[in-house]
Amino acid sequence: MKLNLLSCHAQRPDRRAISQCIAEISLKVNESLSNELTDILLEGDAVIINVEDKNSGSALRALRKHCIDYEIIE
């Protein structure tokens, strides 16, 4: 499943927690790349990630927990 992470509307987003979340739910994303994607997301730009279909429910819950708005692309 492909997700478009649109924005994070948390008052004080936890960069480390968001980065770990992206690294855990994404396919082929290491810690360094997840840090870069987190910076891009928190600056206000959208980020596209791939998530395994079998983990999609828990991935979406994790994103909502961190107040990340997303849309499902495919």
Side-chain angles (χ1 to χ4, degrees):
M1 176 169 62
K2 193 177 273 190
L3 295 176
N4 187 13
L5 307 182
L6 303 171
S7 64
C8 178
H9 60 273
Q11 281 187 335
R12 288 188 273 173
D14 184 349
R15 283 183 188 271
R16 187 178 59 75
I18 293 171
S19 177
Q20 286 178 343
C21 176
I22 290 173
E24 289 174 5
I25 67 172
S26 301
L27 294 172
K28 300 179 184 176
V29 173
N30 60 23
E31 185 178 335
S32 176
L33 181 56
S34 70
N35 287 332
E36 289 180 39
L37 294 175
T38 300
D39 289 341
I40 292 168
L41 178 66
L42 294 179
E43 288 174 1
D45 294 325
V47 173
I48 295 176
I49 61 171
N50 290 313
V51 177
E52 284 189 59
D53 287 335
K54 66 179 183 177
N55 296 333
S56 61
S58 60
L60 298 178
R61 279 191 301 279
L63 293 173
R64 286 191 300 269
K65 177 183 172 190
H66 293 292
C67 301
I68 297 174
D69 293 328
Y70 60 88
E71 67 181 1
I72 299 172
I73 297 174
E74 52 181 65

